[in-house]
Amino acid sequence: MRNPKRVLAASTLVSEALVVFFATLAATALHREEQGRYLVAGGVLVLLCVLCAGLLRSRAGYVLGWALQVVIVASGFVVPEAFRWTMVGIGVAFAGIWWGCLHIGERVEREREQVARGLADRSGSEG
């Protein structure tokens, strides 16, 4: 059975990678003289999101995920001013989604364990 916390967190990171990719394209269109810088920074963030989704089998993946949330929110302050608060808002929204996915995933894991223990107790008492 799949780990619900990992599935939710990985889905969030992959979705975030797509949003960062499209935001990078928009930022380069708005600020032509910084195109190279934005493309490299956005590309690195996209790759880190995807890499982090693959690392979620260990605690390091979740720590990197939190670090990415901070970096993505902070990236809103280095894009063109016309795009700044949109990026900060997107970063904050994804940080909230990330937090929610981790907490909901942990709750589902606990409830699965309780159900499994209850079923084991029940089948043990019937035998």
Side-chain angles (χ1 to χ4, degrees):
M1 201 172 304
R2 289 183 181 232
N3 180 323
K5 181 174 143 183
R6 188 176 347 147
V7 169
L8 290 170
S11 299
T12 300
L13 288 167
V14 170
S15 299
E16 195 166 13
L18 290 170
V19 170
V20 168
F21 172 75
F22 289 117
T24 299
L25 294 178
T28 58
L30 289 172
H31 213 248
R32 297 252 181 226
E33 55 275 356
E34 297 287 340
Q35 259 185 345
R37 189 176 113 198
Y38 290 144
L39 286 173
V40 169
V44 167
L45 285 175
V46 168
L47 289 176
L48 286 174
C49 285
V50 173
L51 173 69
C52 183
L55 292 174
L56 292 174
R57 293 174 196 260
S58 72
R59 181 161 167 73
Y62 294 97
V63 172
L64 178 60
W66 276 116
L68 272 172
Q69 301 312 309
V70 171
V71 169
I72 290 171
V73 170
S75 72
F77 294 102
V78 296
V79 296
E81 193 170 331
F83 199 52
R84 180 165 296 148
W85 294 110
T86 302
M87 276 305 298
V88 170
I90 290 170
V92 169
F94 268 104
I97 293 167
W98 173 256
W99 177 85
C101 286
L102 296 184
H103 284 279
I104 290 169
E106 288 172 1
R107 186 173 59 194
V108 170
E109 286 176 12
R110 283 193 306 273
E111 289 174 2
R112 272 189 181 174
E113 289 172 7
Q114 288 173 347
V115 169
R117 279 194 305 269
L119 291 174
D121 291 346
R122 194 169 152 197
S123 67
S125 66
E126 290 177 2

